[in-house]
Amino acid sequence: MRDAAVQSLAVGFFDGVHRGHQAILAGADRALTFRRHPLTVLAPERAPRLIMSLDDRLAAIRACGVKEVVALDFTPELAALPPEAFAAQYLDSPTGRPHIRCGANWHFGKGGAGDADGLRAHGYSVTTVPYATWDGAPISSSRIRAALAAGDVTAANAMLGHPFRVHGEPQKGKGLGTQLGFPTVNLRLADLDIDLPRGVYEVTADGVRGVANYGVAPTLGDRRWPTPMLEIHFPQCAAASVPSAPRAVDFVRFIRRERRFATLDALRAQIAHDCAL
């Protein structure tokens, strides 16, 4: 059994802080991550669209019980460090070598030459946490990104172990929702990085169920939004009880793709159908 006085350090990028990441972070005293994805330096053309903003990622890591989170700037100079130099500079602490917790595919140092076996060979105590699985395959951030890009929020949430969350800034609407009998709260998702399909989703905001369209409102023609907006209607709320400009919205499931309707009556009927699902 590991000496209780030896701190445990979880290492990884942790985009999404999904169920596999949560297993790595479980019981760790500290965590080491990067502010931006290493591929933004190593191969910008292959850098992924991220599931979480940096602030959300750090908050989710702390929510796993980690007391201290260090987020390094991934720079060309850092990428050039040999594994031994990286370990000495960023893994060790003034109180000694921590116990390292990492995923099975974690690599570090120049050319990704460092790994768990290399650390063990240099005297580190390392726990390699096996992949968490869902639907018969390993959970990964890449797999979750692909699910979200396909509109499969249900699968993404199952792998994340928590709802996919977005943040937005309130925007004044066009008044059409109220005219149709479905008033909305409108948010511009300024920090959304993931490739999210335009369409209608079931969401929750401040614990209240909503039906949201993420898109440009194509039925409005020249009055459509210039960039995608999240327009949320709360079917079971009276006007006075609608969440006031929620900043955080959790996605529950995908309902349908956004499309243009020939008339406002047709749009009204579709919204009523969406709200009843």
Side-chain angles (χ1 to χ4, degrees):
M1 181 177 293
R2 181 170 62 89
D3 186 340
V6 177
Q7 284 200 327
S8 179
L9 173 67
V11 290
F13 188 70
F14 304 122
D15 184 31
V17 192
H18 58 60
R19 287 171 46 206
H21 297 148
Q22 292 162 31
I24 296 170
L25 292 160
D29 304 292
R30 299 186 294 128
L32 178 69
T33 188
F34 298 109
R35 299 180 67 84
R36 54 177 175 162
H37 199 283
L39 284 178
T40 59
V41 170
L42 300 174
E45 71 282 359
R46 293 193 289 114
R49 307 280 292 273
L50 299 183
I51 300 165
M52 277 183 169
S53 68
L54 174 62
D55 287 345
D56 277 1
R57 180 157 49 94
L58 299 182
I61 291 171
R62 293 189 184 98
C64 291
V66 177
K67 300 181 182 68
E68 179 187 355
V69 185
V70 175
L72 301 176
D73 284 317
F74 195 90
T75 63
E77 293 75 21
L78 187 149
L81 286 176
E84 297 80 6
F86 179 91
Q89 188 168 345
Y90 295 110
L91 301 186
D92 293 351
S93 72
T95 58
R97 287 182 170 177
H99 175 79
I100 304 297
R101 294 181 61 82
C102 62
N105 66 338
W106 183 63
H107 288 78
F108 65 96
K110 184 177 180 180
D115 60 11
D117 287 340
L119 286 175
R120 292 187 184 102
H122 283 82
Y124 287 84
S125 171
V126 182
T127 294
T128 303
V129 180
Y131 280 104
T133 62
W134 180 79
D135 198 25
I139 294 172
S140 68
S141 299
S142 296
R143 192 176 172 206
I144 294 168
R145 293 181 197 113
L148 289 171
D152 195 348
V153 176
T154 303
N157 287 351
M159 290 186 281
L160 284 166
H162 55 82
F164 172 62
R165 173 169 287 187
V166 299
H167 296 270
E169 293 295 326
Q171 300 289 315
K172 180 176 175 57
K174 302 176 184 298
L176 180 62
T178 300
Q179 177 186 333
L180 294 175
F182 300 95
T184 62
V185 172
N186 309 303
L187 300 177
R188 186 175 302 283
L189 306 183
D191 66 350
L192 180 67
D193 190 40
I194 200 72
D195 187 15
L196 191 66
R198 296 179 186 179
V200 178
Y201 297 82
E202 180 181 355
V203 301
T204 61
D206 297 338
V208 180
R209 176 184 179 271
V211 175
N213 185 76
Y214 175 66
V216 296
T219 302
L220 298 185
D222 292 342
R223 295 181 60 216
R224 64 193 291 166
W225 296 107
T227 57
M229 187 78 66
L230 189 68
E231 301 174 280
I232 312 168
H233 173 65
F234 297 94
Q236 294 161 333
C237 286
S241 60
V242 168
S244 177
R247 300 301 179 99
V249 179
D250 291 336
F251 280 59
V252 177
R253 65 187 174 99
F254 182 77
I255 296 175
R256 65 171 175 85
R257 294 273 179 175
E258 182 180 52
R259 63 188 179 91
R260 188 177 189 277
F261 292 88
T263 66
L264 292 181
D265 284 341
L267 174 59
R268 179 187 292 110
Q270 182 63 57
I271 295 173
H273 179 72
D274 295 337
C275 291
L277 292 176

